[in-house]
Amino acid sequence: PNRWKSWRSFRIEELCEVASSVKSVRLVPVDGGPVAAFKAGQHLNVRLPGKITRSWSLSDFEASPRSYRLTVKRGSGPGSAWIHDEAAIGKIVEVRAPVGSFTLDRANFKRIVLISGGVGVTPVLSMLKAHVDRGPRAPALVWLHSTINGSTHIHASEVDAALATNPLFERQVHYTQPDPGDDPARYDRTGFITRADLVRILQTPFRASHHENAVIHLPGIHSQFYVCGPPAFMAMVHEALISLKVSEDNIFSEAFGPASAGERRVARTEAATVTFARSGKTVVWDPAEDMTLLEGAPQLALVMGTES
């Protein structure tokens, strides 16, 4: 419901710094109409002035949103540079409807383990809020996050507020280089996340019920893992989980383009003719539309009246 085709004009309604070299941007539609709901973990394709196109994760969650929030770290590319140097309340950008397959499964009974490094926190924060939205009977959850110190800790207060809503939620935040002035209540470990931290999670049974008269504990292996962060960080986590006998079916991950900025660059190529095997119909995919073929295929299918 409320999805739209092609680009749509959005206005910057809020702009604030949420950590060192990290800004959050809230976007509302210029036409005042409703916006499409999205699955936690999805992202927006955004076209900035100068035809710069980037994809950024949605860092908030509402079941019926009226706006979208992005959280962007300054990197070396022109997309994040525009957000940090030129963006201002009232400026206009073009936005496509939310897309992406790195999404939270909100229907399962398994414990959710959200693992992030640095700005990789943005899509998993959306997942955390979506999990809270399931209400007091939501399954157990572990929040495992790594950052440098308090100045780089993105949306720390929001995370702590969400985790405090459920006694089955657990937090383990790592500061790799904490500053002397950092609040000790903000983090739980010094140093990087390691294989040993994942072993502890898997070897610790978790409570699967709030009701004292019907307490159920399940082995830690009954968990789903959602991982986002720099490539080396994600590779370490994935290899460790596989070595610990976690099924590939329970590991979900996403890496950012320039990992330091949390942005994905939309590749450009020549125009191509796309054929839908089921219907036999064809349509031309135009790279000038600034979408990858994978992201554009569902919309192309709708245009052609075919099933994706």
Side-chain angles (χ1 to χ4, degrees):
N2 301 325
R3 288 186 66 85
W4 64 93
K5 297 177 182 178
S6 191
W7 297 100
R8 183 180 178 189
S9 295
F10 276 67
R11 180 180 67 255
I12 297 177
E13 182 182 63
E14 297 175 8
L15 181 67
C16 61
E17 189 164 351
V18 295
S20 177
S21 299
V22 181
K23 286 189 175 182
S24 270
V25 182
R26 188 166 294 279
L27 304 172
V28 296
V30 171
D31 59 22
V35 301
F38 59 92
K39 294 181 180 180
Q42 290 190 311
H43 60 271
L44 291 183
N45 291 306
V46 183
R47 187 162 64 187
L48 308 173
K51 302 299 182 181
I52 300 169
T53 303
R54 290 293 182 269
S55 297
W56 284 299
S57 294
L58 290 152
S59 61
D60 206 352
F61 180 82
E62 291 179 292
S64 300
R66 56 167 292 274
S67 63
Y68 295 130
R69 188 181 75 177
L70 308 172
T71 300
V72 181
K73 181 177 179 179
R74 179 188 289 276
S76 59
S80 63
W82 188 90
I83 294 293
H84 283 265
D85 298 333
E86 300 182 47
I89 293 175
K91 285 203 171 185
I92 306 299
V93 298
E94 303 298 311
V95 175
R96 285 189 180 271
V99 292
S101 58
F102 178 59
T103 58
L104 178 69
D105 178 4
R106 302 180 68 199
N108 80 88
F109 68 91
K110 297 177 181 179
R111 177 177 59 175
I112 300 299
V113 183
L114 303 176
I115 306 174
S116 56
V119 75
V121 71
T122 53
V124 294
L125 173 55
S126 178
M127 292 179 181
L128 171 62
K129 291 191 172 186
H131 194 67
V132 170
D133 192 61
R134 292 181 65 174
R137 294 183 181 274
L141 177 143
V142 177
W143 177 267
L144 187 57
H145 177 63
S146 176
T147 188
I148 299 172
N149 52 42
S151 69
T152 63
H153 195 170
I154 302 170
H155 294 306
S157 296
E158 286 187 26
V159 170
D160 286 345
L163 294 174
T165 63
N166 193 314
L168 300 185
F169 294 175
E170 175 186 349
R171 185 193 80 173
Q172 186 172 318
V173 172
H174 288 238
Y175 280 9
T176 59
Q177 300 175 33
D179 285 336
D182 282 337
D183 183 353
R186 285 292 195 202
Y187 66 104
D188 310 290
R189 302 280 195 281
T190 298
F192 293 95
I193 294 172
T194 67
R195 185 178 188 276
D197 296 301
L198 302 176
V199 169
R200 182 193 63 81
I201 291 172
L202 287 167
Q203 292 183 345
T204 305
F206 62 92
R207 185 174 172 181
S209 171
H210 291 272
H211 305 289
E212 294 183 0
N213 295 329
V215 175
I216 301 173
H217 287 88
L218 295 175
I221 197 70
H222 292 295
S223 303
Q224 286 189 332
F225 295 82
Y226 296 83
V227 191
C228 190
F233 170 84
M234 292 181 50
M236 180 279 293
V237 172
H238 186 268
E239 291 170 8
L241 292 175
I242 293 299
S243 71
L244 294 169
K245 309 303 181 185
V246 175
S247 169
E248 287 274 11
D249 293 339
N250 287 321
I251 305 173
F252 308 89
S253 62
E254 181 174 64
F256 289 131
S260 62
E263 61 182 81
R264 308 171 189 80
R265 224 166 262 182
V266 180
R268 301 182 73 96
T269 183
E270 299 300 318
T273 299
V274 181
T275 300
F276 293 94
R278 185 178 301 175
S279 66
K281 294 182 178 180
T282 61
V283 64
V284 175
W285 170 70
D286 184 357
E289 288 297 310
D290 292 309
M291 292 193 74
T292 66
L293 178 58
L294 181 62
E295 291 167 339
Q299 295 190 36
L300 291 172
L302 288 173
V303 169
M304 297 300 296
T306 62
E307 296 180 41
S308 59

